[in-house]
Amino acid sequence: QLPQLVAAALLVAGAAGALFQPGAARTAARSGWRARAAATPVCFETLAKTSGSHGAPSDAESAALVGAKPQPALQPREVVATMLHALHRSNWDRPLPYAGFATALRFLSPSHQYRSFERSKQYTPQSYARYLRQPHKAALLAWDEYRWDGDVTLIQGEAYQQTSVRAGPDSPWTSVRWLLKRVDRATAEAAASGKGEGTASTAGGASQWMVDAVFTDEPDGGEDAAAPGGLAPLSREEQRDLFREIDISNSGSISPAALVDVIASLGVPRAEAEGLARTTDSNSDGVIDFDEFAKLLNKVNQKWSTAGSFARMVTDGVRSTAANARSPRAVVDLVMRALRAGDDPYPLHGAEVAVQLCSPTNPAAQLTPATFATYLSEPHYAILTEWDHIEFDQEEEELQDHAGSTADTSVLVKRDGDDSFTYVNFILSRHSGRWLIDSLSIV
């Protein structure tokens, strides 16, 4: 504890010293601080430009986190590097308790899913740390080595960066994909204070790259949640989708312990979570079936209770995530048009877009754009880059399964000289609330 206390005392003393300087000196000190804050930390700029793998944070890299915050000058890779270093276990409590989580929290966009989890809208490092304890986010906290997998891809105002992380030299790599958006600085500050939700910047004013979502190897796993409010219950299909995500063994029931883990992951005290799980098992048979789980989610308007709070968080989060995500058709349309544009606006752009919108279960997600482009040159796939006309099924946008977690979307394409259309079918699945492509077939 002593080093942390000493570091805290030095920080406080430094701030106090600046306050008690004579006017001119104080002004100069503030100006110097602003100049340093506005500059990109050299260590993260170097990491962003260096290929190969990177190990645990050095002392210099950890020290650079103290004043790190979003700035217009920071590029997507520098933001990702800052986030990864802040979340490394060596920086969780250095120089103060939860310091690493506090730094990472500053880089989350107003629409990041965490902001829906925190019911009180008081975004604290402690609650963000609880949010990251979900099992499928473990790789972000356990890494000791990371690497860049491909370059940054810019798609309609969003930036995608693929990385891989692992806990040690003998551990397997875990794929982690980062989605960033440019956000107006005033909007970001209002959202961070809980005074506004905010949106991505569409104007040319001062804006900065912020992390909007993180995709891991794991698919959606019960992480949808949001602030309380008057809501209609989820549909039966949406409730069943959530139930299946918790019922990982496909047994048709979930254990009270599994439900406790889900409830507690949303910031509910574990004792309350255990009590809620017991009451949810209404027939006391030791398991929770779908009907019991649905009854819990239907308590969305039950105020001043743990059950109501849990149901509202889950319900609002499912809907807000769905509203912000591209539909399966929109994903397919974006990929098809990017592939047709090919190297516009820069070489391999179409292949990059396609790779970035592949799901973690699609082997193509691990390919470089250059390698993916070689497949496109084969005669069987040439139609994807050569089509002149495209049509979607007008009767139904996409055929989704009963749980709403996978979708089947098809397009008809042809060249100007072709006698008939070619049928291209896409299978998609949802990951972190976003539709990504599992596979495609051409007939």
Side-chain angles (χ1 to χ4, degrees), residues 121-425:
K121 296 298 182 183
Q122 298 299 314
Y123 306 121
T124 66
Q126 292 87 341
S127 69
Y128 184 48
R130 289 195 299 269
Y131 167 82
L132 290 172
R133 289 178 190 147
Q134 299 173 88
H136 57 282
K137 299 184 183 299
L140 294 173
L141 300 179
W143 76 270
D144 254 343
E145 185 178 3
Y146 74 93
R147 68 188 184 196
W148 306 113
D149 293 336
D151 297 325
V152 174
T153 301
L154 299 177
I155 306 174
Q156 296 182 349
E158 298 179 342
Y160 290 82
Q161 174 63 61
Q162 186 84 20
T163 63
S164 291
V165 298
R166 63 180 178 180
D170 298 324
S171 302
W173 289 98
T174 297
S175 176
V176 181
R177 188 184 308 173
W178 302 77
L179 167 62
L180 301 92
K181 290 183 178 180
R182 290 203 73 91
V183 179
D184 179 83
R185 297 187 74 178
T187 300
E189 290 172 1
S193 66
K195 297 179 180 178
E197 292 302 318
T199 57
S201 174
T202 56
S207 63
Q208 55 206 14
W209 287 109
M210 302 185 78
V211 175
D212 196 60
V214 182
F215 309 104
T216 65
D217 279 339
E218 297 294 332
D220 285 358
E223 64 177 281
D224 293 315
L231 298 170
L234 293 173
S235 68
R236 194 79 167 171
E237 291 75 18
E238 290 171 323
Q239 292 175 342
R240 192 173 293 279
D241 186 17
L242 289 173
F243 182 81
R244 292 189 178 203
E245 291 176 352
I246 303 173
D247 178 22
I248 58 176
S249 63
N250 295 319
S251 65
S253 63
I254 57 180
S255 68
L259 182 59
V260 167
D261 289 340
V262 172
I263 299 170
S265 73
L266 303 183
V268 177
R270 199 162 190 87
E272 292 184 28
E274 291 171 349
L276 179 56
R278 283 194 298 272
T279 58
T280 301
D281 180 18
S282 56
N283 60 4
S284 301
D285 63 352
V287 295
I288 298 168
D289 60 28
F290 172 71
D291 287 335
E292 291 171 326
F293 182 72
K295 288 179 181 178
L296 171 60
L297 295 184
N298 286 337
K299 296 178 180 179
V300 63
N301 292 312
Q302 185 180 103
K303 297 181 179 180
W304 316 117
S305 71
T306 303
S309 296
F310 173 74
R312 284 192 296 273
M313 285 193 294
V314 172
T315 300
D316 196 29
V318 168
R319 288 177 180 154
S320 64
T321 300
N324 291 329
R326 290 189 183 96
S327 69
R329 174 187 280 193
V331 172
V332 170
D333 184 63
L334 177 60
V335 169
M336 290 297 296
R337 295 187 186 280
L339 290 176
R340 183 64 180 87
D343 294 331
D344 184 16
Y346 55 82
L348 299 176
H349 177 263
E352 281 189 347
V353 172
V355 169
Q356 294 294 351
L357 292 177
C358 288
S359 75
T361 60
N362 187 337
Q366 305 301 320
L367 299 179
T368 65
T371 302
F372 188 87
T374 62
Y375 288 98
L376 297 175
S377 64
E378 297 180 5
H380 180 68
Y381 295 105
I383 187 64
L384 298 176
T385 63
E386 298 174 355
W387 60 268
D388 296 304
H389 305 277
I390 185 169
E391 295 181 7
F392 280 85
D393 185 351
Q394 296 301 313
E395 296 181 359
E396 187 174 22
E397 179 174 321
E398 65 269 334
L399 179 62
Q400 297 187 26
D401 69 353
H402 67 281
S405 58
T406 62
D408 186 322
T409 301
S410 301
V411 295
L412 296 172
V413 292
K414 75 170 185 174
R415 306 174 186 87
D416 282 335
D418 291 345
D419 295 329
S420 60
F421 280 90
T422 297
Y423 179 85
V424 185
N425 175 250

